[in-house]
Amino acid sequence: IFVRKVDLPIEVSGTGTGKVKAWGPLQFNKLSYDLKSSFFRGTAAKESFDELIFNVKSNNGHVRAENISLKKAQSRVHLKGKVKPDASIDSVIVGRQIRLEQSENVSNIGLDVTGEFDFTMSLKGKLPQPDMALHGRLQKVVVGDQPAEDSKFKLKFEPDRISGGGSFIGRTVLTDFIFPLDDQAPFKFNLKTKNWDFAHLFSILSVAAKKKDFETQVTSDIKLASNSGGFWKSRGHINIESVQVRRGAVQMSAPSPIKVKMKDGVINSKDIYLEGDSTFLKLKINNASRESFTTELNTKANMSLISLVTPFMENLKGSLSMALKTEGPFYNPQILGSAYVEEGLVK
């Protein structure tokens, strides 16, 4: 009965002790019990911990958390709340001083980031799929080898959508969104950036990337929304006021603002153009939709700039010339064209 009713979504292991007193009918949603347990030097959700305390009480199936807490060095996580016999939950999980560099999950992904993460998560509704709301704060963050301002965000998980927003790197990046989980839920994606050095994103992924000495910036405003049908039914715009990528003496930037329009899932733009010394990129999007994704790309680019998006390679040199067209559906396009590299070096 216990295993069927409380199937934990995470794996927990460790060495410890526990005791339980139980009375009443052998039916989980009516059983009364007093469970006290503690574990040491174990793992939970693939994260190691120093101590895990799990003390709960049930009175005729009304379960209350007496003390559920986890410690790892200076990091602390506490859970408070209750579960009713009808499997409805009302709980709050609070995490403080979670060190990113001490996280096994962060290390396994290969992210080069340090800092502190504080969060508060509420769970309300029927198990096993209650509504969840998460509020988080990142502080004392270093991305690659560059310090970053604090970031704040919020997420809400509902049966038909995931919504949220936040301000990242101070107020450099602002976002507000709704991602539908079915075709009937609304879609929204708003993003504003102001002089954002987006090269730091690639520094997170690779130590080699932060050695490439890129200078980047983008100032943009994106607003897309639909009442239903998701992204491919949305209306709105993507406006990029300025964008630049520089590495040493080599650079590429937009001589004028880039404007992309979207109407009921159809994308149009003739203004996507970047240029630099002996370098250019021109992208034309003409009535592109999910079922007919038609684009034209022409570029001649210094490959040292392209190496920004290849953090797994230490060095790229040479000149890349490319002319491409896409036709057909977005999920299975036909790509036609040619590309060649002059005096190329890959390391």
Side-chain angles (χ1 to χ4, degrees):
I1 296 174
F2 184 83
V3 173
R4 183 173 68 247
K5 197 68 180 180
V6 185
D7 188 7
L8 294 178
I10 60 174
E11 181 179 340
V12 180
S13 64
T15 301
T17 60
K19 61 180 180 179
V20 60
K21 296 179 181 179
W23 59 96
L26 292 177
Q27 186 176 341
F28 190 72
N29 61 352
K30 296 181 179 181
L31 184 66
S32 297
Y33 56 86
D34 184 356
L35 171 65
K36 295 181 179 180
S37 60
S38 56
F39 302 88
F40 304 92
R41 301 292 187 268
T43 61
K46 299 182 181 180
E47 290 282 353
S48 64
F49 60 81
D50 297 331
E51 181 184 32
L52 170 63
I53 297 175
F54 191 88
N55 296 343
V56 297
K57 281 187 177 181
S58 172
N59 184 14
N60 296 323
H62 293 265
V63 183
R64 183 179 72 253
E66 294 289 299
N67 182 7
I68 299 178
S69 60
L70 182 147
K71 297 179 182 179
K72 179 177 180 177
Q74 299 301 314
S75 303
R76 299 288 187 271
V77 178
H78 297 274
L79 183 150
K80 296 181 179 180
K82 56 187 178 181
V83 180
K84 295 182 179 179
D86 64 355
S88 60
I89 187 172
D90 185 359
S91 297
V92 176
I93 304 173
V94 178
R96 293 291 181 262
Q97 293 183 300
I98 309 299
R99 297 299 307 179
L100 299 178
E101 66 273 18
Q102 294 175 355
S103 167
E104 285 83 1
N105 287 317
V106 171
S107 298
N108 290 337
I109 297 172
L111 301 183
D112 186 16
V113 59
T114 66
E116 284 186 3
F117 174 45
D118 297 336
F119 71 89
T120 300
M121 175 185 284
S122 65
L123 297 91
K124 293 185 178 182
K126 287 293 185 71
L127 293 171
Q129 293 182 320
D131 291 342
M132 294 185 290
L134 172 68
H135 293 257
R137 180 185 180 92
L138 292 164
Q139 54 191 351
K140 302 176 183 178
V141 173
V142 177
V143 178
D145 58 357
Q146 298 293 321
E149 294 184 64
D150 294 355
S151 299
K152 295 185 292 185
F153 66 90
K154 60 182 180 180
L155 291 170
K156 187 174 183 180
F157 301 86
E158 299 175 85
D160 66 341
R161 72 193 70 181
I162 300 173
S163 59
S167 57
F168 299 90
I169 321 171
R171 295 186 62 81
T172 303
V173 178
L174 303 175
T175 185
D176 178 28
F177 62 85
I178 300 174
F179 293 146
L181 300 179
D182 60 40
D183 289 338
Q184 303 306 313
F187 164 80
K188 179 175 69 173
F189 182 70
N190 295 336
L191 176 68
K192 282 189 176 184
T193 66
K194 184 176 181 181
N195 296 323
W196 177 32
D197 185 359
F198 55 90
H200 286 172
L201 275 181
F202 301 96
S203 297
I204 293 176
L205 299 174
S206 171
V207 174
K210 69 184 181 183
K211 297 178 181 178
K212 294 181 179 180
D213 301 323
F214 277 96
E215 296 177 20
T216 63
Q217 76 84 20
V218 61
T219 296
S220 62
D221 177 39
I222 301 173
K223 290 185 178 180
L224 299 170
S226 66
N227 293 326
S228 62
F231 171 81
W232 289 110
K233 294 293 184 180
S234 65
R235 291 189 172 204
H237 65 257
I238 300 173
N239 293 338
I240 301 177
E241 186 67 26
S242 62
V243 59
Q244 182 182 54
V245 180
R246 176 185 293 275
R247 186 184 184 192
V250 182
Q251 65 90 28
M252 181 184 289
S253 61
S256 59
I258 296 172
K259 297 183 179 181
V260 179
K261 297 292 185 181
M262 191 164 185
K263 185 177 181 180
D264 297 329
V266 179
I267 309 170
N268 281 284
S269 179
K270 297 181 180 179
D271 303 311
I272 303 177
Y273 184 70
L274 304 176
E275 65 179 7
D277 296 334
S278 301
T279 297
F280 75 92
L281 182 150
K282 185 176 183 179
L283 176 62
K284 182 184 292 186
I285 305 175
N286 184 26
N287 290 326
S289 66
R290 186 176 185 271
E291 299 300 328
S292 180
F293 195 71
T294 305
T295 67
E296 294 182 21
L297 173 67
N298 290 278
T299 184
K300 182 177 182 181
N302 190 306
M303 291 179 63
S304 66
L305 295 178
I306 299 173
S307 66
L308 173 64
V309 295
T310 58
F312 47 87
M313 296 181 182
E314 290 187 13
N315 203 1
L316 286 178
K317 290 183 178 180
S319 177
L320 171 66
S321 297
M322 186 163 54
L324 297 177
K325 289 184 178 181
T326 65
E327 298 175 348
F330 175 79
Y331 48 85
N332 188 25
Q334 292 183 336
I335 302 175
L336 307 172
S338 61
Y340 64 93
V341 176
E342 297 178 278
E343 300 179 354
L345 172 67
V346 178
K347 183 179 179 182

